[in-house]
Amino acid sequence: MARSPPPGELPPAYTAPAPSVAPQILAGGLKAPLWLRAYFQGLLFSLGCGIQRHCGKVLFLGLLALGALALGLRVAIIETDLEQLWVEVGSRVSQELHYTKEKLGDEAAYTSQMLIQTSRQEGENVLTSEALSLHLQAALTASKVQVSLYGKSWDLNKICYKSGVPLIENGMIERMIEKLFPCVILTPLDCFWEGAKLQGGSAYLPGRPDIQWTNLDPEQLLEELVPFASLEGFRELLDKAQVGQAYVGRPCLQPDDLHCPPSAPNHHSRQAPSVAQELSGGCHGFSHKFMHWQEELLLGGMARDSQGQLLRAEALQSTFLLMSPHQLYEHFRGDYQTHDIGWSEEQAATVLQAWQRRFVQLAQEALPENASQQVHAFSSTTLDDILHAFSEVSAARVAGGYLLMVGPALGTLPLPAPSAHHRNPPDTAPSLPQLAYACVTMLRWDCAQSQGAVGLAGVLLVALAVASGLGLCALLGITFNAATTQVLPFLTLGIGVDDIFLLAHAFTEAPPDTILQERTGECLQRTGTSVALTSITNMAAFCMAALVPIPALRAFSLQAAVVVGCNFAAVMLVFPAVLSLDLQRRHCQRLDVLCCFSSPCSAPVIQILPQELGDRMVPVGIAHLTATVQAFAHCEASSQHVVTILPPQAHLVPPPSDPLGSELFSPGGSTRDLLGQEEETMQKAASKSLPCDHWNLAHFARCCFAPLLLQPHTKAMVLVLFGALLGLSLYGATLVQDGLALTDVVPRGTKEHAFLSTQLRYFSLYEVALVTQGGFDYAHSQRALFDLHQRFSSLKAVLPPPATQAPRTWLHYYCNWLQGIQASFDQDWASGRITRHSYRNGSEDGALAYKLLIQTGDDQEPLDFSQLTTRKLVDKEGLIPPELFYVGLTVWVSSDPLGLAASQANFYPPPPEWLHDKYDSTGENLRIPAAQPLEFAQFPFLLRGLQKTADFVEAIEGARAACAEAGRAGVRAYPSGSPFLFWEQYLGLRRCFLLAVCILLVGTFLVCALLLLNPWTAGLIVLVLAMMTVELFGIMGFLGIKLSAIPVVILVASVGIGVEFTVHVALGFLTTQGSRNLRATRALEHTFAPVTDGAVSTLLGLLMLTGSNFDFIIRYFFVVLTALTLLGLLHGLVLLPVLLSILGPPPEVVQMYKESPEVLSPPAAQGGGLRWGVSPTLPQSFARVTTSMTVALHPPPLPGAYIHPVSDEPTWSPVAIPAAGGSSNLSSRGPCLATA
């Protein structure tokens, strides 16, 4: 139906009634909030009008800017380094890690590849010959791995980590020893001769078969090499290391093996050894002194008898150590094998990665499917591959999520109610997702008035905004991680589409008298405040989440804030241009999507002017009212046009009974205007609409939900239920445990997850080190260093060494070595082989001691021979003389490579190389260069029994306490290792979480109070948001989701996301008038649909997370964010309206209207029906008031009109005028409304 004449224009036949006394208009309210909001809305109106005038230019420039920013994704960097992702920024761990890297470099000394074997039958003993033979089969298969790269073949012997290869002056012997020197392999097979089969080195000597560890007797080999070179020093080195006969002196696991050496203890008896007895106490590598593998490194699930003897175990573990990429590069740099391939460190890393992948693959396939045992393999490259896969962007899931969002967007945008002039079927059949969502929210379709293209463009615009935001982050240098690629596109999609829905609905349902050129301005005026409030709060929430000092989560939070900002800019600047272009398309009656074609179902508009009914004329243009009249519609078959016919005399019929009064609601259409479209609340349909027209969310909220919710007994029930939920959540919060294990991240059901679960169960061991820094005198602090080691060793989590073995630290090894050469010197001195003037007849160790004893440490007089008998290398207290400390350190490092490697000291600066020459006759060899003062050294330890986060925290606190105690003694030290890198965050994570939430709640209160200009309302919003956060935290406890940095970010962000569900209702309540119940009802009607749409859009965006291969994504993101969305929906649409109806603030505008008695007393109906007419007593001044109103609510009823009685509300709503000022004070534009 044609709209009524605009204000100020009367029908030609209208004659003004006689003047009467004008009514008195009284008003009261809050002037400042209204004025400020009106001013802000005026700015938004001007922005919208400007965008509409230049919509093509704005759209082009906006898309150009967003596209340019999206190109920044080309330089995006995805970070997968665990240390860079999870070590707290600026923390002491970060500073300690920086110090370690500064001294030693970025790489570890070696990388580990592990095999774990368990029985397929739960709990079955693996300490049997059969199980160990299967372990040998798997380990042997893995050790024989070869990969071909760069035209070379790479096997284990070339790339493995070898500990302490000695330097020999004889080049031929040195090369042979280098080929034979064993790899470091920690395996239970080392208790048997079969452990030699894993060593791939070999050498050749004339007249004998190839020398391998399976047939190598080191003592016999040295005897054979004596004629070729003097190897006395090397023999002493092997004797000190207690090499003995190496593997050939150990029992054979399979005595029937034809290669079992005759020297094996069970070679002649052919009896299988007792596996439990042999493995009791652990095993040894080729060196009994320096290569002792403790039981805990080899066996898992051990059981012992009452005397402590090993009876059984449930798991076996073998660990292969490989060189780091830098070590491998340095090892082959300049070698003849790599001189022709441009050898680089990147190539070395590629070789190691290829070998490790092949290692894992062959080890997992080594045993047949029907074997009684199963093998789990893992390597450092496997972990890197998992992190890379975790960080990859799934294009299919991202596209699926956005396409799934497009469907509802096409079907849920508000469409104008079909008028009585034409009612047409949709031009396209929506898909199933469209039908499912559209049937809930909107059933009205129209060929020309449809907005499917707007929905499609809106979702694509949000997608472009997300890409531009991420591109901007890449340009700013913010690195990407798994949370960025797996979660952020879906989360920000749901948030961004909410505002798209809001603007599209408000644009379609603009007041009927809005000038066409001001439609976009009117839309931004009504919705801009709400969009700005939610976007600013979301950005503030994510910025507050960046207070969590975990790099991965800080990057995620900052990226989310930037993307939300880009969404905000796109929605406020670019999307209005899309709406403006679509307005032109609808004005020209063109098809949706296919805008080049005219709509075949459009019909000419029949303008129905006011007709004289009886003896009076209704001043439609004055009162802004459309009366409900009897009309008839039929469709002409020839033209397919719907024609509406009005009879000569139409009778005003009573409106249908609404539960809360028909004067409060518009009967058709979904009202999405959050600021109150009061003009529309007085409109009536021009004809009786079909029942299905009311099947929408607004109708449900108006007729069903609000009346039920705002009943007194329902309010009480809501408060009780939410109080119970809060109490239950407080209990659930006590169930939340800290932690995030690697098993939570790796996809369940994979081989990697099976390995990690088995390792966590049986071999929960962690290599750590106690690092001593520079800044103190090591030589004079030896006692403090011993005390520090003792305190650290006494910690509950530290695995103690066997009682028969000395502590495995460099200071103990150093002192023991000095005591050993001192004993050799004493024997040589007593026997006369060493005298004051000669040491050549003495032993190698005696000669070394001689050279050390004469050192003074004085640069002017470095030698003093009188000290040979007056001093000891180690005093009675077990301390080294300070003047000898750094000189002796040089000699020890050069002369005892096995002991140095076993100590894992990692000295920095490294002591200088010095070769001992017993037969030097020049005396130059007596001058030993002193090592530089140490700035870095470490004591290695093993931590055990760390299953839960509480165990890690206890171990960390104990280690920190030991270091603090040492600091008071002058020793600067700190612990290092993965437990301290990744678990120390839990020491202050909860405090950081509470701080961030409190700051964010305060910030949200300030933002809401500033933009709403009502601290009362802001306080209620913050109360509901705090309840949501507590309840989400409690739900995590019941779901078994552990507290780590990732849930903390979601919990912090929940405050900002919750604003999307609460601020719309609060703003709708604040900007309406009447009692609290009435205002809560009206707020629900206006906001129920957009809030529900927002929740559904967010859930649809999150739905694609369920397609992730990582259970971690589903549990920690999809489940938590879904729970957050549902909580937001319940609190925003159920709890908050109840609280507002009980504790809500007073309205911003309070209206009072005084009329003459004629107006207040409508005449009775005549003739059995209600005549459509106007009383001559209607004051002419009333027309002037209503046409100049800036806040227009309900005008007074026309005389003779039917007024539906309402029990607890006024029968009409008076005109609202702000106090102490006219309408001109509230509007920055002429006739445009500044709606309160």
Side-chain angles (χ1 to χ4, degrees):
M1 179 180 292
R3 71 175 190 178
S4 304
E9 297 181 11
L10 303 179
Y14 175 71
T15 303
S20 62
V21 180
Q24 296 180 0
I25 301 175
L26 304 177
L30 301 175
K31 180 179 178 180
L34 290 176
W35 187 90
L36 290 175
R37 190 174 299 119
Y39 178 77
F40 181 62
Q41 289 176 325
L43 296 178
L44 293 173
F45 173 81
S46 301
L47 174 64
C49 292
I51 292 175
Q52 184 171 351
R53 284 194 302 270
H54 308 284
C55 55
K57 298 176 184 178
V58 172
L59 181 61
F60 174 77
L61 293 177
L63 294 179
L64 183 64
L66 294 175
L69 289 177
L71 293 177
L73 290 172
R74 296 170 58 91
V75 298
I77 299 175
I78 297 180
E79 183 64 72
T80 58
D81 186 358
L82 286 176
E83 293 179 358
Q84 297 297 326
L85 289 173
W86 294 106
V87 177
E88 296 183 24
V89 178
S91 64
R92 59 184 178 186
V93 175
S94 176
Q95 297 172 1
E96 293 162 358
L97 183 62
H98 176 74
Y99 185 85
T100 300
K101 290 184 176 181
E102 180 184 0
K103 304 304 178 183
L104 298 184
D106 293 336
E107 293 183 345
Y110 52 79
T111 60
S112 300
Q113 285 59 237
M114 291 162 283
L115 296 178
I116 296 179
Q117 176 181 314
T118 59
S119 173
R120 294 187 185 274
Q121 298 294 329
E122 182 73 19
E124 187 173 331
N125 182 28
V126 297
L127 298 184
T128 63
S129 297
E130 178 188 2
L132 216 57
S133 297
L134 291 175
H135 193 73
L136 171 63
Q137 178 182 340
L140 192 59
T141 301
S143 67
K144 301 303 180 183
V145 169
Q146 290 188 356
V147 293
S148 296
L149 285 174
Y150 312 113
K152 311 293 180 183
S153 179
W154 306 88
D155 58 16
L156 177 62
N157 196 54
K158 287 184 178 179
I159 65 176
C160 70
Y161 176 75
K162 298 182 178 182
S163 175
V165 181
L167 298 177
I168 307 297
E169 293 183 359
N170 188 300
M172 182 190 71
I173 303 299
E174 183 179 9
R175 285 192 297 271
M176 185 183 70
I177 291 176
E178 182 180 354
K179 291 181 178 180
L180 276 175
F181 208 83
C183 300
V184 178
I185 303 175
L186 290 69
T187 174
L189 297 171
D190 274 349
C191 284
F192 307 93
W193 166 76
E194 281 77 3
K197 294 184 177 182
L198 304 183
Q199 303 293 342
S202 64
Y204 171 76
L205 282 180
R208 62 170 298 168
D210 286 351
I211 303 174
Q212 297 179 348
W213 282 101
T214 54
N215 59 16
L216 173 60
D217 184 343
E219 296 176 348
Q220 181 182 354
L221 178 63
L222 289 179
E223 294 294 336
E224 296 178 5
L225 292 178
V226 168
F228 300 96
S230 175
L231 297 175
E232 182 182 354
F234 185 60
R235 181 192 297 273
E236 291 185 1
L237 177 66
L238 295 182
D239 290 342
K240 290 179 183 179
Q242 301 174 11
V243 174
Q245 291 183 305
Y247 291 98
V248 296
R250 302 175 189 182
C252 294
L253 182 64
Q254 300 171 340
D256 296 332
D257 192 325
L258 296 178
H259 298 93
C260 181
S263 55
N266 61 342
H267 173 75
H268 299 289
S269 65
R270 300 295 178 179
Q271 293 182 354
S274 172
V275 175
Q277 183 177 351
E278 293 295 335
L279 289 175
S280 182
C283 300
H284 298 83
F286 85 101
S287 169
H288 279 252
K289 180 177 181 180
F290 298 121
M291 296 183 178
H292 177 251
W293 322 135
Q294 294 178 250
E295 290 178 347
E296 290 79 1
L297 294 172
L298 310 176
L299 306 176
M302 293 179 287
R304 303 178 185 274
D305 60 15
S306 56
Q307 285 76 33
Q309 295 297 319
L310 180 64
L311 293 178
R312 61 192 312 275
E314 298 179 9
L316 302 171
Q317 177 175 258
S318 292
T319 305
F320 297 74
L321 303 186
L322 302 184
M323 285 187 281
S324 67
H326 179 72
Q327 287 178 327
L328 184 61
Y329 166 71
E330 291 292 340
H331 181 74
F332 283 100
R333 188 176 63 170
D335 191 271
Y336 74 93
Q337 301 180 64
T338 58
H339 73 281
D340 59 336
I341 61 175
W343 184 241
S344 65
E345 194 164 335
E346 290 76 15
Q347 291 177 324
T350 302
V351 168
L352 289 172
Q353 292 171 0
W355 194 93
Q356 289 173 322
R357 293 189 181 101
R358 186 64 176 164
F359 168 89
V360 172
Q361 178 186 356
L362 292 183
Q364 292 172 342
E365 300 172 353
L367 300 185
E369 292 292 335
N370 58 354
S372 61
Q373 306 287 311
Q374 56 184 350
V375 171
H376 309 284
F378 198 80
S379 70
S380 56
T381 299
T382 306
L383 179 60
D384 293 338
D385 291 341
I386 291 173
L387 293 176
H388 280 290
F390 190 52
S391 303
E392 287 180 353
V393 180
S394 175
R397 285 195 295 114
V398 172
Y402 280 67
L403 289 176
L404 187 60
M405 189 67 68
V406 168
L410 292 174
T412 60
L413 290 178
L415 307 178
S419 67
H421 303 295
H422 49 82
R423 185 183 303 275
N424 305 291
D427 56 341
T428 58
S431 62
L432 288 179
Q434 292 173 313
L435 288 174
Y437 194 25
C439 288
V440 176
T441 57
M442 190 69 58
L443 290 176
R444 294 175 299 277
W445 290 74
D446 185 284
C447 296
Q449 300 298 323
S450 171
Q451 285 187 294
V454 171
L456 177 63
V459 174
L460 295 179
L461 179 62
V462 172
L464 181 60
V466 172
S468 65
L470 294 177
L472 179 58
C473 293
L475 294 175
L476 294 176
I478 304 176
T479 58
F480 289 25
N481 55 68
T484 304
T485 58
Q486 296 282 338
V487 178
L488 194 57
F490 306 105
L491 177 61
T492 52
L493 170 67
I495 295 176
V497 172
D498 293 351
D499 297 331
I500 295 294
F501 281 141
L502 190 62
L503 262 70
H505 282 291
F507 188 82
T508 304
E509 298 186 352
D513 60 345
T514 303
I515 301 175
L516 184 66
Q517 292 76 12
E518 297 179 353
R519 288 288 295 274
T520 305
E522 186 72 25
C523 175
L524 285 185
Q525 180 191 30
R526 293 174 178 274
T527 59
T529 302
S530 182
V531 172
L533 182 59
T534 55
S535 298
I536 292 174
T537 308
N538 272 322
M539 286 188 287
F542 285 116
C543 289
M544 289 298 104
L547 292 175
V548 179
I550 307 299
L553 283 310
R554 176 168 291 182
F556 173 81
S557 302
L558 293 177
Q559 288 163 344
V562 172
V563 171
V564 170
C566 289
N567 273 340
F568 177 54
V571 170
M572 293 294 288
L573 300 177
V574 183
F575 189 64
V578 175
L579 293 173
S580 300
L581 290 175
D582 187 70
L583 178 64
Q584 297 181 14
R585 191 267 311 167
R586 289 190 291 153
H587 185 68
C588 296
Q589 293 290 311
R590 294 186 177 274
L591 282 177
D592 189 17
V593 181
L594 303 176
C595 56
C596 296
F597 302 96
S598 297
S599 174
C601 47
S602 60
V605 177
I606 304 173
Q607 182 175 7
I608 302 178
L609 294 177
Q611 304 177 23
E612 183 178 348
L613 303 178
D615 54 353
R616 297 181 182 87
M617 177 71 66
V618 178
V620 180
I622 297 176
H624 295 266
L625 294 176
T626 302
T628 301
V629 300
Q630 293 287 350
F632 303 91
H634 73 276
C635 180
E636 294 182 358
S638 59
S639 61
Q640 295 184 353
H641 291 167
V642 179
V643 178
T644 302
I645 302 174
L646 290 178
Q649 286 190 350
H651 297 281
L652 189 64
V653 296
S657 176
D658 276 345
L660 290 168
S662 59
E663 74 277 4
L664 302 180
F665 309 102
S666 61
S670 175
T671 305
R672 304 295 179 90
D673 176 18
L674 300 183
L675 301 178
Q677 301 181 12
E678 304 298 343
E679 295 86 348
E680 293 184 12
T681 61
M682 296 302 297
Q683 295 178 1
K684 307 297 180 183
S687 66
K688 288 186 176 180
S689 58
L690 298 177
C692 62
D693 287 342
H694 298 286
W695 296 345
N696 53 58
L697 293 178
H699 177 77
F700 171 76
R702 175 176 65 250
C703 299
C704 303
F705 183 74
L708 177 63
L709 179 66
L710 298 179
Q711 295 293 330
H713 63 276
T714 307
K715 292 181 184 180
M717 184 180 298
V718 166
L719 294 178
V720 170
L721 290 178
F722 275 89
L725 177 61
L726 181 61
L728 195 63
S729 299
L730 290 174
Y731 170 72
T734 63
L735 304 178
V736 177
Q737 299 180 355
D738 294 346
L740 179 62
L742 196 55
T743 51
D744 296 331
V745 179
V746 177
R748 297 181 184 271
T750 61
K751 295 179 179 180
E752 293 80 7
H753 187 273
F755 172 88
L756 293 172
S757 300
T758 305
Q759 184 189 46
L760 182 64
R761 177 179 178 182
Y762 293 117
F763 299 99
S764 185
L765 293 173
Y766 295 87
E767 293 185 3
V768 299
L770 184 59
V771 175
T772 52
Q773 303 173 260
F776 70 97
D777 189 353
Y778 280 72
H780 290 86
S781 303
Q782 297 175 61
R783 176 53 57 196
L785 289 172
F786 281 123
D787 293 341
L788 172 61
H789 178 269
Q790 181 61 35
R791 279 193 296 270
F792 206 92
S793 301
S794 62
L795 296 178
K796 174 184 175 181
V798 172
L799 179 65
T804 59
Q805 183 180 351
R808 190 165 57 95
T809 69
W810 67 268
L811 192 55
H812 289 90
Y813 283 151
Y814 181 20
C815 290
N816 291 341
W817 181 81
L818 289 177
Q819 290 172 341
I821 64 173
Q822 178 72 59
S824 298
F825 173 83
D826 292 342
Q827 293 177 2
D828 291 342
W829 183 271
S831 62
R833 291 191 295 271
I834 293 181
T835 63
R836 178 183 177 90
H837 303 290
S838 176
Y839 55 82
R840 293 176 182 170
N841 295 327
S843 62
E844 291 286 338
D845 285 351
L848 278 175
Y850 177 94
K851 294 179 180 180
L852 284 174
L853 286 170
I854 63 177
Q855 305 296 318
T856 63
D858 186 358
D859 294 336
Q860 301 297 328
E861 298 181 2
L863 304 178
D864 184 358
F865 293 92
S866 64
Q867 297 178 153
L868 287 171
T869 56
T870 59
R871 68 186 306 182
K872 297 291 183 180
L873 297 178
V874 179
D875 61 22
K876 295 180 180 180
E877 297 181 358
L879 304 179
I880 304 169
E883 62 274 11
L884 281 178
F885 185 84
Y886 286 110
V887 176
L889 192 63
T890 298
V891 178
W892 176 61
V893 168
S894 302
S895 305
D896 189 17
L898 289 176
L900 175 65
S903 71
Q904 302 178 32
N906 287 329
F907 292 129
Y908 183 87
E913 291 186 0
W914 177 81
L915 292 178
H916 166 58
D917 185 0
K918 179 181 176 182
Y919 301 100
D920 176 58
S921 59
T922 63
E924 290 298 326
N925 201 240
L926 294 177
R927 298 180 179 270
I928 304 174
Q932 298 182 37
L934 294 176
E935 298 179 15
F936 185 97
Q938 62 183 22
F939 299 150
F941 292 93
L942 283 174
L943 301 184
R944 62 175 179 179
L946 302 182
Q947 298 284 342
K948 301 179 180 179
T949 303
D951 301 329
F952 286 95
V953 171
E954 181 182 359
I956 292 171
E957 291 176 343
R960 291 295 182 183
C963 293
E965 184 68 22
R968 289 188 283 271
V971 175
R972 299 177 57 193
Y974 61 85
S976 176
S978 58
F980 304 96
L981 290 178
F982 307 125
W983 274 272
E984 185 150 341
Q985 58 178 291
Y986 296 103
L987 296 180
L989 183 63
R990 298 204 175 210
R991 176 187 55 81
C992 186
F993 162 58
L994 291 175
L995 175 64
V997 169
C998 292
I999 293 176
L1000 182 54
L1001 288 175
V1002 173
T1004 303
F1005 174 80
L1006 295 177
V1007 171
C1008 292
L1010 179 63
L1011 295 183
L1012 295 179
L1013 300 169
N1014 193 302
W1016 191 337
T1017 306
L1020 289 177
I1021 292 176
V1022 169
L1023 173 63
V1024 173
L1025 294 178
M1027 291 181 61
M1028 286 176 54
T1029 304
V1030 173
E1031 290 164 6
L1032 181 62
F1033 192 68
I1035 290 174
M1036 286 173 47
F1038 289 115
L1039 294 177
I1041 297 176
K1042 299 178 183 178
L1043 183 68
S1044 62
I1046 291 177
V1048 163
V1049 167
I1050 297 178
L1051 286 167
V1052 173
S1054 67
V1055 178
I1057 297 174
V1059 172
E1060 297 276 352
F1061 300 99
T1062 56
V1063 72
H1064 302 327
V1065 178
L1067 189 57
F1069 178 88
L1070 187 63
T1071 55
T1072 54
Q1073 58 152 353
S1075 67
R1076 286 192 176 101
N1077 272 355
L1078 176 62
R1079 293 159 61 207
T1081 303
R1082 182 169 294 173
L1084 272 177
E1085 186 215 359
H1086 290 173
T1087 61
F1088 188 88
V1091 170
T1092 304
D1093 281 346
V1096 173
S1097 66
T1098 302
L1099 290 175
L1100 286 175
L1102 297 174
L1103 184 63
M1104 297 308 296
L1105 294 178
T1106 58
S1108 174
N1109 296 326
F1110 292 88
D1111 183 67
F1112 170 79
I1113 293 292
I1114 298 175
R1115 283 173 50 81
Y1116 281 78
F1117 285 99
F1118 173 74
V1119 172
V1120 176
L1121 288 173
T1122 299
L1124 170 60
T1125 303
L1126 296 178
L1127 284 175
L1129 200 61
L1130 290 175
H1131 286 75
L1133 297 181
V1134 178
L1135 178 61
L1136 184 58
V1138 171
L1139 291 178
L1140 290 172
S1141 68
I1142 300 174
L1143 304 173
E1148 289 182 338
V1149 178
V1150 179
Q1151 302 85 13
M1152 293 171 290
Y1153 187 87
K1154 290 185 178 180
E1155 295 194 61
S1156 60
E1158 293 84 352
V1159 176
L1160 295 177
S1161 303
Q1166 299 177 3
L1170 296 177
R1171 300 280 296 175
W1172 186 16
V1174 63
S1175 171
T1177 60
L1178 181 66
Q1180 186 175 3
S1181 61
F1182 176 69
R1184 292 193 297 271
V1185 172
T1186 57
T1187 57
S1188 62
M1189 297 302 289
T1190 58
V1191 180
L1193 299 178
H1194 300 290
L1198 295 176
Y1202 173 79
I1203 301 175
H1204 184 73
V1206 180
S1207 59
D1208 58 345
E1209 301 294 345
T1211 58
W1212 51 267
S1213 298
V1215 176
I1217 295 183
S1223 61
S1224 60
N1225 293 337
L1226 298 179
S1227 180
S1228 59
R1229 62 183 180 93
C1232 292
L1233 293 178
T1235 309

